[in-house]
C-alpha cells in the first residue's frame, strides 16, 4: 500500500485499511516521512519537503536528477512586468511584481563508469525522505539498481540554516553495494527554468513565466559562480558554490561552464562497501540598482562560503537544531491520542516559521517560499492569519512583518492617491514591493479591509508582546494613515439615521464584489477606528513631543480624531430580522441562493468555471466573511447570534479558499458545534499533506497552515484577547485524550494542558499573570499550576456534574430563545412604539424585557417617559405594539426554528414524554402554527391564560396541571433568568439555554437545544 507524504496513510486509506484489517503505520510526531516516491507527485512533494529561512527557499528536488519540481527563491528577488489593458482607467494597477526562481545550486549528478545514473532506467529498491522538524533538515536515502545491474545507495541531507540569511548546505554521499569502478560527481549551479505558466488559473498570476537573465558564469578549483539579473526590476543576484570533500577517495577533476551553468566535477573510485561523500555550500547575495557592484556581490558570497566551510556542515546543523529547540520550547505542542495530527500541527507550524521574512524587509507570501503560486505576493491573510500565530510563539518575527508594512507605507500612500484619496494610506491587496499588483480591481484593490487587517495585527502584536515602542517607532503612523481612508469611503448616512456607511468595497468573500456595508469591513473598520483613537490618546499623554511631531508631519488634527470616534460609534452594522443574521452586505440576502445541487463536484472551485458576474449575482461565499468578523471582532455578540450566523453562512459557503476552514472551525467551537469544529479543523490542518485543493504543487498554503494552530488555540482552547487580556474557554475534541500548547505573552512563557479532567494553566517563566478562564479571573505565578474545569462545549452531556432527581415525564418549553427567536421582532416593535412616543429605548432596556409579558414590558419602557400615561393609553400602546409585532410575524416560518428544536420535540414524542409550552407571548399559538410545530405540543399556555407573569411560577404550574403530570416530574427549559426562577419556584428542575453565568439558578445549562440528548432525561444520568 503506497504511503502518502505524511508517513501515515491518507484519510480515505485509513478507513479502508481499518475495514480490511490492515495495520495503519503510526506517524512519527517529529518526522514527516515518505517511503514511496511517485513521479506524478514530484512537484507536490517538492513543496512539502521545501526548506527555507525567511530569505531563501529551496524546493525538495533530488540532487542527482533535474526535475520539474526544482526551484530556489529569494524573498527579495522579483521581476516587474507591465499589465496590459484594452481599456485602462485612472488608478488601475500598471505593473505586477513576480517572484522569480534564482540560480539553483542543488544539483549533483552521478556517473558510474562514465554513464549517468538515470532514474528513467533502473529500479528503486528502497526509498525514504524525511523532514525532521527538530533538526530543520531534509534527509533522503535511495537504494538504486541501475539498468546495468549495479546497486548503489544515495544519502543526502540538506539545511537552509536560520542563522545564515542566504545559505544552502548539502551533505551528499554515494555508497556501493555491489559496484566496482569509477564514479564522478558533477556539482553544478544552473540558471532556473521558466516559472509556472498561468494557464486558466488566476491564482498563478499574469506575471508567471518571467525569468532571470544569466550575465556571467565562472568556475575554478575553489568556487563556481553565476551572476543573474532581472530585466526590469533592477535586481542582480550572485550565486556561488564551494565544497568540502570527505576522505581522500574524491578529488576535483575539472571546472566547467556553459551559457547557463557552472560545474565542478569530482572523480573517484568505488568498491563494494565503499563510499564517497562531500559537503556542498551554496550562497547568494543580491542588490537592486547600483547599490553594489557585481564584484562586490561575488566577494560577499565568497566570504559567506568561507565562513560556512570553516564552520562545517556539522556545526551549522547543530546551530539549526539549537534554534529550533528554543522555538519548540516556547511553542510546545502535543496531541494525546493522535500522533498524526500532532505531526501535522508541528509540520504546519514549522512551515510558517521558516517562510516568514526576517529583518522587516519582507513578510510572508501566500505560498511562503515554497513555490510560485500567487507570484510570491503578500495578501491581507498574512496579518489576519499568520501574524497572530507568530505574535504568540515568535514575536520578533511578527514585529518584522509589521516593520515591512511600515517600510512600505510610502507605497501605500501612493496607492491611496491612485484611488483618489487625498490623504492617508491604502495598502495593496497583493504585492511584493508595496505597489498594487492586481489587475482585477473588483476582487483586488476594492478589498479595503486590508487596512483593517494590518491595524488588527498591530493591536494584537502590541498586546501580546507589550512592545509599545513599536507604536512610537512608526506603528501609530500606520494606524493613523490607514484609519483616514475609512472617512473617505464612507459617510454619515441621513437615510440610515446618521449611521456611518462604507461604500463600494469587496470583503473577504471574493464571490461578492463592490458592495455597500460589507459587514466584515464595517466591523473591522470600527475596531480599527476605535483603536486609532485610543492610541492617539495614549501617544499624546505618554510621548507628547513625538505625538505633536507626527501630527504636524501628517497634518492630523483633533477634529479628525473626533470624526474617527463618531464613525466608529455610529458604524452601520445591521441585523436582518427575518433570518436573524448579520447581512453580509446591503444586497447579499436579496439574491437567489446558488444552486448547489445542480453544480457538479468537478465545477469547483467556482472561480475556475464560472464568469465572475454569474457568481456575483448569487448568494454564495468563497470563504468566511461574516463568520470571520465574528471571530476577529466578535466582542459583545452573544453566542446564540453567532450560532445563527454560522448556520446561515455555512449553507452558502463553498470554501473554495483555504482561508475558510480554520475560521469556521474556530466559530463552530465557540458556539458549541464540537463535531463540525473538528471536521473543519481537519480540513485546514491537512490542506497540503493531503493536497485537498489540488494545488500544493504551486506551494503550500501559509494561511491554512497557520489556521490549523488557530483552530487548536482559538478554537478548542477558546483563546481570545479582550481589552489586552488573555481569555480562554478550553474544550476537548472527543477523539483526543488531551492536548497541550505553549505560547509567549509579554515576555512570559505560558503552557496550557487540556485533558478530560480539565485544563492546567502553568506559567513557566516571567512575572505573575492574570488571565480569564471561562469568564472567571485566574492569577498565575511561576511553577504553581492552576487547574480549572473544561468550558462547556455544547455537545457533551448537559447533565455533566449534575444529577437530576429522577426520570422526567414532561418537558415544558419557553418559546422565545428556546424553540425560536422572535426577540428581534419584539425589539423592532417596541423600538418603533418608543420612538413614536418619544421614550428612549435601547438594547440595555430590551434585555430587561426577556421573559416578561407585554404589559409588564410596557411598564419598564415607560419608566423613562416624561409624562404619566393613563390605563386606557397604556392599553392602546400595548395593542399598537402588538400590531407591529404581528405584522412582523408574517415572515416567520419553519426556517426560524432554532437548531435542534424540531429534533428535541420529535424525540420527546418518540420517548413518550408529554410536552408543554409556557410562553409570555400572547401570540404563542400563532407562532407555533407558523413554525409548523403546533401539533408537537400537548398543551400551550401563554400570557392570555395566567394572571401573574414570570418569575411567578403560575404559568409552569398551569401547564403541568393540564398535562396531568406532577411538577416534580417536569423539566422546565428556559433562556431567561426570570423564567428559570419561575421553574424553580414551581418545584421543577430547570435546564437553562444560553449563558451559564446569567442562568446560574438552572440545574444545567446548554448553549442551545442542538446539544440536548433525550436519553439523558428519560433515565437518570450517572454523576460525573
Amino acid at each position: 500500500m503506497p504511503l502518502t507524504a505524511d508517513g501515515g496513510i491518507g484519510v480515505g486509506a485509513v478507513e479502508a485499511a481499518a475495514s480490511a484489517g490492515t495495520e495503519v503505520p503510526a506517524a512519527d510526531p517529529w518526522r514527516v516521512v515518505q517511503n514511496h516516491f511517485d513521479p506524478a507527485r514530484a512537484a507536490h512533494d517538492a513543496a512539502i519537503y521545501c526548506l527555507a529561512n525567511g530569505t531563501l527557499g529551496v524546493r525538495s528536488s533530488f540532487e542527482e536528477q533535474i526535475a520539474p519540481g526544482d526551484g530556489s527563491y529569494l524573498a527579495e528577488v522579483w521581476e516587474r512586468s507591465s499589465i496590459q489593458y484594452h481599456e485602462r482607467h485612472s488608478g488601475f494597477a500598471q505593473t505586477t511584481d513576480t517572484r522569480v526562481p534564482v540560480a539553483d545550486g542543488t544539483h549533483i549528478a552521478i556517473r558510474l563508469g562514465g554513464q549517468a545514473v538515470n532514474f528513467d532506467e533502473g529500479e528503486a529498491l528502497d526509498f525514504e525522505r524525511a523532514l525532521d522538524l527538530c533538526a530543520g533538515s531534509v534527509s533522503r536515502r535511495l537504494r538504486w539498481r541501475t539498468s546495468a545491474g549495479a546497486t548503489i545507495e544515495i544519502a543526502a541531507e540538506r539545511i537552509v540554516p536560520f542563522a545564515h540569511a542566504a545559505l544552502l548546505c548539502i551533505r551528499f554521499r554515494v555508497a556501493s553495494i555491489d559496484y566496482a569502478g569509477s564514479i564522478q560527481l558533477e556539482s553544478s549551479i544552473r540558471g532556473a527554468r521558466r516559472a509556472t505558466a498561468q494557464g486558466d488559473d488566476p491564482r498563478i498570476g499574469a506575471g508567471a513565466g518571467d525569468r532571470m537573465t544569466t550575465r556571467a558564469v565562472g568556475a575554478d578549483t575553489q568556487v563556481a559562480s553565476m551572476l543573474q539579473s532581472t530585466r526590469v526590476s533592477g535586481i542582480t543576484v550572485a550565486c556561488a558554490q564551494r565544497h568540502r570533500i570527505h576522505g581522500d577517495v574524491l578529488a576535483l577533476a575539472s571546472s566547467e561552464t556553459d551559457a547557463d551553468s557552472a560545474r565542478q566535477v569530482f572523480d573517484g573510485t568505488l568498491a563494494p562497501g565503499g563510499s564517497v561523500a562531500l559537503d556542498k555550500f551554496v550562497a547568494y547575495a543580491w542588490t537592486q540598482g547600483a547599490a553594489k557592484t557585481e564584484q562586490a556581490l561575488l566577494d560577499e558570497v565568497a566570504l559567506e562560503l568561507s565562513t560556512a566551510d570553516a564552520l562545517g556542515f556539522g556545526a551549522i546543523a547543530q546551530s539549526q537544531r539549537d534554534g529550533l529547540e528554543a522555538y519548540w520550547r516556547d511553542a510546545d505542542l502535543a496531541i494525546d491520542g493522535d500522533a498524526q495530527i500532532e505531526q501535522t500541527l508541528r509540520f504546519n507550524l514549522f512551515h510558517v516559521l521558516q517562510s516568514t521574512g526576517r529583518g522587516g524587509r519582507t513578510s510572508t507570501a501566500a505560498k511562503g517560499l515554497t513555490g510560485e503560486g500567487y507570484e510570491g505576493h503578500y495578501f491581507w491573510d498574512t496579518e489576519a492569519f499568520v501574524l497572530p500565530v507568530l505574535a504568540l510563539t515568535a514575536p520578533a518575527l511578527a514585529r518584522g512583518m509589521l516593520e515591512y508594512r511600515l517600510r512600505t507605507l510610502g507605497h501605500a500612500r501612493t496607492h491611496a492617491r491612485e484611488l483618489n484619496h487625498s490623504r492617508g494610506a491604502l495598502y495593496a491587496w497583493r504585492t511584493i514591493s508595496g505597489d498594487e499588483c492586481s489587475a482585477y480591481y473588483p476582487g483586488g484593490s476594492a478589498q479595503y479591509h486590508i487596512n483593517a487587517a494590518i491595524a488588527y495585527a498591530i493591536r494584537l502584536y502590541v498586546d501580546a508582546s507589550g512592545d509599545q515602542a513599536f507604536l512610537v517607532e512608526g506603528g501609530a503612523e500606520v494606524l493613523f494613515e490607514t484609519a483616514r481612508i475609512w472617512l473617505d469611503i464612507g459617510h454619515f448616512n441621513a437615510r440610515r439615521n446618521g449611521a456611518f456607511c462604507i461604500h463600494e468595497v469587496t470583503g473577504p468573500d471574493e464571490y461578492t464584489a463592490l458592495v455597500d456595508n460589507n459587514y466584515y469591513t464595517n466591523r473591522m473598520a470600527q475596531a480599527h477606528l476605535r483603536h486609532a483613537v485610543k492610541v492617539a490618546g495614549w501617544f499624546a499623554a505618554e510621548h507628547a513631543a513625538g505625538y505633536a511631531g507626527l501630527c504636524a508631519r501628517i497634518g492630523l488634527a483633533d477634529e479628525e480624531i473626533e470624526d474617527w470616534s463618531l464613525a466608529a460609534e455610529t458604524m452601520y452594522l445591521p441585523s436582518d430580522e427575518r433570518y436573524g443574521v448579520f447581512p453580509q452586505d446591503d444586497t447579499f440576502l436579496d439574491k437567489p441562493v446558488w444552486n448547489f445541487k445542480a453544480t457538479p463536484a468537478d465545477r469547483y472551485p467556482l472561480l475556475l468555471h464560472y464568469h465572475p458576474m454569474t457568481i456575483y449575482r448569487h448568494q454564495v461565499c468563497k470563504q468566511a466573511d461574516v463568520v470571520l468578523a465574528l471571530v476577529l471582532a466578535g466582542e459583545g455578540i452573544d453566542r446564540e447570534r453567532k450560532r445563527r450566523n454560522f448556520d446561515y453562512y455555512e449553507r452558502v459557503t463553498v470554501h473554495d479558499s483555504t482561508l475558510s476552514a480554520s475560521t469556521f472551525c474556530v466559530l463552530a467551537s465557540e458556539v458549541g458545534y464540537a463535531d463540525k469544529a473538528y471536521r473543519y479543523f481537519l480540513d485546514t490542518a491537512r490542506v497540503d499533506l493531503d493536497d485537498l485543493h489540488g494545488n500544493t504543487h504551486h506551494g503550500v498554503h501559509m494561511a491554512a497552515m497557520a489556521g490549523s494552530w488557530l483552530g487548536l488555540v482559538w478554537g478548542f482552547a477558546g483563546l481570545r484577547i479582550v481589552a489586552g487580556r488573555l481569555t480562554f474557554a478550553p474544550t476537548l475534541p472527543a477523539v483526543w485524550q488531551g492536548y497541550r500548547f505553549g505560547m509567549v505573552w509579554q515576555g512570559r512563557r505560558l503552557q496550557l494542558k487540556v485533558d478530560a479532567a480539565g485544563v492546567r494553566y502553568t506559567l513557566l517563566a516571567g512575572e505573575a499573570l492574570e488571565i480569564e478562564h471561562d469568564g472567571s479571573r485566574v492569577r498565575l505565578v511561576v511553577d504553581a499550576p492552576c487547574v480549572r474545569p473544561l468550558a462547556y462545549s455544547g455537545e457533551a452531556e448537559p447533565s455533566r456534574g449534575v444529577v437530576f432527581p429522577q426520570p422526567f415525564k414532561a418537558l415544558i418549553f419557553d418559546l422565545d430563545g428556546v424553540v425560536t427567536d422572535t426577540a428581534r421582532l419584539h425589539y423592532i416593535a417596541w423600538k418603533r412604539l418608543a420612538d413614536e412616543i418619544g421614550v428612549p429605548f435601547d438594547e440595555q432596556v430590551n434585555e430587561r424585557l426577556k421573559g416578561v409579558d407585554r404589559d409588564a414590558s410596557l411598564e419598564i419602557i415607560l419608566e423613562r417617559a416624561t409624562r404619566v400615561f393613563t390605563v386606557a393609553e397604556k392599553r392602546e400602546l400595548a395593542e399598537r405594539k402588538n400590531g407591529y409585532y404581528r405584522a412582523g410575524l408574517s415572515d416567520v416560518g419553519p426556517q426560524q426554528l432554532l437548531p435542534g428544536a424540531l429534533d428535541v420535540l420529535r424525540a420527546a414524542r418518540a420517548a413518550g414524554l408529554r410536552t408543554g409550552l409556557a410562553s409570555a407571548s400572547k401570540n404563542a399559538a400563532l407562532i407555533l402554527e407558523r413554525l409548523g410545530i403546533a401539533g408537537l405540543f400537548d398543551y400551550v399556555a401563554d400570557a392570555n391564560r395566567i394572571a401573574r407573569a414570570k418569575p411567578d411560577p403560575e404559568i409552569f404550574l398551569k401547564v403541568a396541571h393540564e398535562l396531568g403530570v406532577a411538577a416534580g416530574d417536569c423539566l422546565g427549559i428556559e433562556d431567561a433568568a426570570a423564567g428559570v426562577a419561575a421553574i424553580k419556584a414551581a418545584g421543577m428542575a430547570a435546564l437553562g439555554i444560553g449563558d451559564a453565568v446569567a442562568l446560574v439558578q438552572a440545574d444545567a445549562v446548554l448553549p442551545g437545544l442542538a446539544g440536548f440528548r433525550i436519553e439523558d432525561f428519560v433515565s437518570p444520568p450517572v454523576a460525573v
Side-chain angles (χ1 to χ4, degrees), residues 406-740:
L406 178 58
R407 187 174 67 83
T408 57
L409 179 58
H411 294 266
R413 288 187 174 112
T414 298
H415 184 45
R417 305 302 171 270
E418 291 170 345
L419 271 68
N420 306 122
H421 302 299
S422 60
R423 59 183 178 176
L426 175 61
Y427 280 92
W429 178 57
R430 58 187 299 170
T431 188
I432 298 178
S433 66
D435 296 330
E436 178 62 78
C437 292
S438 174
Y440 188 63
Y441 78 88
S445 300
Q447 293 199 43
Y448 277 74
H449 62 83
I450 186 164
N451 273 9
I454 293 168
Y456 163 80
I458 291 172
R459 183 174 76 251
L460 189 150
Y461 165 73
V462 173
D463 281 345
S465 65
D467 181 13
Q468 293 181 322
F470 176 74
L471 296 173
V472 178
E473 294 164 8
E477 184 173 359
V478 172
L479 276 177
F480 299 161
E481 285 288 79
T482 51
R484 288 177 143 169
I485 299 297
W486 301 121
L487 274 292
D488 230 19
I489 64 172
H491 81 301
F492 298 96
N493 190 342
R495 294 186 66 250
R496 298 193 188 277
N497 298 319
F500 189 78
C501 298
I502 296 176
H503 308 289
E504 292 303 320
V505 298
T506 298
D509 169 29
E510 294 159 19
Y511 286 173
T512 307
L514 297 180
V515 298
D516 293 343
N517 296 311
N518 168 252
Y519 183 84
Y520 173 86
T521 301
N522 285 22
R523 186 88 182 173
M524 293 293 285
Q526 181 185 57
H528 182 178
L529 290 166
R530 284 174 173 167
H531 187 55
V533 171
K534 181 180 178 181
V535 169
W538 169 84
F539 204 168
E542 300 295 326
H543 304 274
Y547 178 71
L550 173 59
C551 289
R553 180 157 49 84
I554 67 175
L556 180 63
D558 290 345
E559 292 78 10
E560 187 175 357
I561 297 174
E562 291 170 3
D563 286 343
W564 296 350
S565 181
L566 182 60
E569 298 316 310
T570 60
M571 186 67 66
Y572 185 61
L573 295 165
S575 177
D576 181 82
E577 306 313 325
R578 177 173 184 179
Y579 298 112
V581 301
F582 301 122
Q584 184 169 300
D585 57 69
D586 280 355
T587 64
F588 185 82
L589 298 180
D590 295 328
K591 298 173 183 177
V593 174
W594 184 272
N595 190 343
F596 299 104
K597 290 184 179 180
T599 307
D602 62 2
R603 301 288 282 178
Y604 294 95
L606 300 181
L607 79 163
L608 299 186
H609 301 94
Y610 297 91
H611 192 283
M613 294 298 292
T614 301
I615 299 174
Y616 294 162
R617 294 187 183 106
H618 292 84
Q619 281 191 58
V620 57
C621 298
K622 179 182 180 185
Q623 62 205 71
D625 194 297
V626 171
V627 171
L628 183 59
L630 300 181
V631 169
L632 300 187
E635 299 90 344
I637 300 173
D638 65 81
R639 185 181 294 179
E640 182 54 43
R641 182 53 59 95
K642 289 180 179 178
R643 186 183 292 112
R644 281 180 171 274
N645 280 276
F646 180 95
D647 291 341
Y648 188 90
Y649 287 105
E650 185 185 35
R651 291 194 292 267
V652 297
T653 303
V654 293
H655 307 292
D656 280 350
S657 167
T658 59
L659 303 182
S660 192
S662 64
T663 303
F664 272 81
C665 164
V666 172
L667 193 63
S669 188
E670 181 179 352
V671 303
Y673 293 156
D675 289 345
K676 286 185 177 182
Y678 193 73
R679 289 197 295 272
Y680 281 118
F681 170 77
L682 291 180
D683 284 346
T684 192
R686 304 289 299 181
V687 159
D688 289 304
L689 286 174
D690 291 343
D691 199 12
L692 296 180
H693 285 244
N695 61 353
T696 296
H697 58 286
H698 297 160
V700 300
H701 300 79
M702 286 296 133
M705 288 178 150
S708 65
W709 189 90
L710 299 178
L712 175 72
V713 178
W714 289 12
F716 304 143
L719 168 66
R720 298 293 186 275
I721 300 171
V722 180
R725 184 193 302 276
L726 281 173
T727 72
F728 298 92
T731 60
L732 178 64
V735 296
W736 296 348
Q737 280 75 60
Y739 61 89
R740 75 169 189 266

Side-chain angles (χ1 to χ4, degrees), residues 782-802:
V782 171
D783 295 330
C786 181
V787 179
R788 289 292 185 272
L790 294 179
Y792 184 52
S793 70
E795 290 193 357
E797 303 89 343
S799 55
R800 177 180 291 179
V802 176

Side-chain angles (χ1 to χ4, degrees), residues 110 112 142-144 150-155 172-183 185 246-250 268-278:
I110 304 171
L112 299 177
L142 171 64
R143 181 165 290 198
W144 185 261
T151 306
I152 59 172
E153 185 168 276
I154 302 164
F172 192 78
R173 173 178 175 272
V174 181
S176 171
I177 306 301
D178 56 19
Y179 170 74
S182 66
I183 182 172
L185 300 183
H246 292 254
D248 56 4
V249 178
L250 278 180
T269 58
L270 273 180
S275 65
V276 297
L278 56 76

Side-chain angles (χ1 to χ4, degrees), residues 640 644 647 811-823 892-906 915-919 924 927-934 936-937 940 950 972-976 991 993-994 1007-1010:
E640 182 54 43
R644 281 180 171 274
D647 291 341
L811 305 181
I812 303 177
F813 299 82
D814 179 38
L815 181 61
D816 265 330
V818 176
V819 175
T820 187
D821 187 0
T822 61
V892 171
Q895 69 273 14
Q896 268 72 50
L897 281 168
L898 289 177
L902 184 59
D903 293 338
V904 170
L905 288 167
R906 287 173 172 169
T915 55
L917 189 80
S919 173
I927 294 170
L928 294 180
E929 289 290 344
R930 293 194 178 280
L931 292 171
I933 58 172
L936 294 177
F937 287 93
V940 174
K950 304 170 187 177
I973 306 174
E974 262 282 2
D975 74 312
L991 175 64
I993 299 296
L1009 287 178

